[in-house]
Amino acid sequence: MADSTHAIISRTRRSATVPGSGRARRVRGDTLLGAVAAAFVLAQLVLVRPGMGLGWDETVYVSQVSPHAPAAFFSAPRARGVPLLVAPIASWSSSTALLRVYLALLSGLGLYLALRVWRGLFPSGVLALAGALYASLWVTLFYGPQAMPNYWVAIGALVCAGCLLRVRADGSTAGRTAARTRMRTPAGGGDRAAALWGRDRAALWGLVAGAALMAWMRPVDAAWVALPLLALALYHRAWQALAALLAGLAAGAAEWVIEAYTSYGGLFQRLSDGSAIQGGLGWHFAVVDQLRSLGGRALCRPCTGALPNPVVTAWWFVLPLLAAFGLVLAVRARRSGPTLLALACAATAAFPYLFLIGYAAPRFLLPAYALLAIPVADALAHLVRTPGGNWRPLALSLVALGLAVHLGAQYAVLAHTVDRTTADRVAWDRTAAELRRLGVRPPCLLTGETAIPIAFYTGCGSAATSGNNANSTREEIVRTAQRIPVAALTTAGGAPPDYARTWPSHRLGDLRLYVAPSAQ
């Protein structure tokens, strides 16, 4: 890594002979990254559409800060980062479209800042291509404007890895300067290793911010991503970088840990409950499950059925091959540090979702895709250009054709997923309207099939007596029905809970609504 940093510094010094040339390149690079981020925002607004209603998990997060409906049950694995993220809009407005636009703009800004952290470690063209590759995945476009945590873990991971590398690069410069001036330092090996790490204050604060963002969103995911970063800082005894990383993780996870003791019976109990909700963490080969989810399944649980068309999944097999090729190129060029760290963080981010849980969701791997995008873009850039900077026409044509097919497949999956998801959420809204017509109006309570999202759409609270979202008892629901409107929802052919068997029932599509007599 020191060699790559030295090359960057040497190029910068040579360009300094032309006044303003280095600044002009930086401006061009920032403009290129900004263009990618702007295109990402525009694609979200056009392809995902701001009017798409809130999903199940989104209603849980948004209800924590929204005056529109009571807060839904907050299960053990969830963290308060998303409610904090949406609070500036959701705390005063019930407009889903406004929230989507806000999140799309914020996700574009996050992508720009995260890529900008890597400037100087890779050429701006490579970073722009990496951003475009990541932003063009259907799963990135679909979840960018949603009130969900995984995209933001990815942004935090990019920021953390890039900032740690910037601290290292700054330290390498400082170390060489010290050697040239023959500065005397203590002879301890740890001190010499730590001396290689610089005092780039902006990068250190970036480490704090990136780690805090990850831990705010998903503390356990943050720990997995941070493993290679912690190992690298410890290996080099870079105490300032280590302290910044740990401080960020602690700041982000502090509320989650405190809440574990106040609401979940302690930290280990919360971790245990979270594991149980995920089906019990242990050895599960979920690679095939993830492949099945690439066809547009937001949650693949249980994950059965045929695999998607090979055109849809081909990129998933090409991705690790290109990433490995990027590492080979970096090793040959004696600049392997940034590439190796990105790959290591991607591997630890993906590991629990590929091998430790028994189901899949495509959003789980967003941090890994973001980190892999940089070495993949580096590999593609080397494939289409010679070392002298000239284009390779045949390679360029083949890469362009492959990317065109890939983008077409991504758009097809995205369009299908958006249409299906929008239809589901329109159905929830229709059910909410029917419940209001039947007299179930706030304050009110829903229980049963899909009660959590439909309750939010109706403006009601939700309750469950069993399952992952259990937060009430049969007796409590019966008592509540004597005070406010209550409805129990079942599938059309399902049986209602025993306390609701005598309640008037109403068929609506695939649901049957049992409404307590007090609401009639």
Side-chain angles (χ1 to χ4, degrees), residues 138-153:
W138 77 261
V139 64
T140 312
L141 285 165
F142 186 68
Y143 284 104
Q146 293 201 42
M148 296 290 282
N150 310 85
Y151 175 83
W152 296 101
V153 175

Side-chain angles (χ1 to χ4, degrees), residues 171-376:
S172 299
T173 307
R176 285 190 299 275
T177 302
R180 285 194 298 270
T181 56
R182 300 181 181 276
M183 292 178 62
R184 296 186 179 276
T185 58
D191 291 332
R192 286 197 301 271
L196 290 175
W197 291 76
R199 300 175 180 274
D200 185 335
R201 296 296 177 184
L204 289 172
W205 281 111
L207 266 176
V208 175
L213 178 62
M214 289 194 299
W216 271 329
M217 295 297 164
R218 290 185 73 90
V220 177
D221 285 14
W224 281 100
V225 173
L227 283 177
L229 306 176
L230 293 169
L232 183 64
L234 278 170
Y235 177 77
H236 289 285
R237 302 185 185 182
W239 308 125
Q240 280 191 323
L242 182 63
L245 185 56
L246 291 174
L249 292 172
E255 189 280 333
W256 195 83
V257 173
I258 293 170
E259 189 180 44
Y261 287 98
T262 59
S263 303
Y264 296 90
L267 178 59
F268 292 106
Q269 185 61 49
R270 185 170 195 177
L271 290 170
S272 175
D273 291 347
S275 173
I277 287 173
Q278 293 177 313
L281 295 181
W283 181 254
H284 297 281
F285 188 76
V287 174
V288 178
D289 294 344
Q290 285 291 345
L291 278 173
R292 288 193 177 99
S293 74
L294 292 179
R297 301 173 67 173
L299 183 63
C300 196
R301 186 179 189 183
C303 206
T304 56
L307 291 171
N309 189 297
V311 176
V312 172
T313 58
W315 70 273
W316 213 69
F317 296 98
V318 174
L319 191 69
L321 297 178
L322 286 174
F325 180 53
L327 179 60
V328 170
L329 291 171
V331 170
R332 286 179 178 175
R334 302 178 67 184
R335 52 173 180 80
S336 59
T339 299
L340 193 57
L341 185 62
L343 293 178
C345 290
T348 57
F351 181 81
Y353 293 114
L354 293 177
F355 302 109
L356 295 183
I357 64 173
Y359 65 99
R363 59 187 171 87
F364 291 162
L365 296 182
L366 278 172
Y369 298 151
L371 290 158
L372 287 172
I374 294 178
V376 166

Side-chain angles (χ1 to χ4, degrees), residues 430-505:
R430 189 184 308 118
T431 302
E434 178 65 10
L435 285 167
R436 286 191 291 268
R437 189 188 69 79
L438 294 172
V440 183
R441 301 184 184 91
C444 48
L445 182 73
L446 300 187
T447 185
E449 185 76 16
T450 61
I452 288 178
I454 294 175
F456 181 84
Y457 279 66
T458 314
C460 300
S462 58
T465 59
S466 61
N468 295 334
N469 297 299
N471 63 341
S472 188
T473 64
R474 175 191 181 281
E475 290 73 21
E476 288 175 344
I477 293 174
V478 171
R479 285 196 299 270
T480 301
Q482 298 171 0
R483 296 183 291 103
I484 62 174
V486 173
L489 315 181
T490 70
T491 58
D498 58 354
Y499 57 80
R501 287 173 183 168
T502 60
W503 294 359
S505 68

Side-chain angles (χ1 to χ4, degrees), residues 11 36 159 203 223 394 398 400 420 454:
R11 289 195 298 271
V36 169
V159 170
L394 179 59
L398 292 175
R420 187 190 67 246
I454 294 175

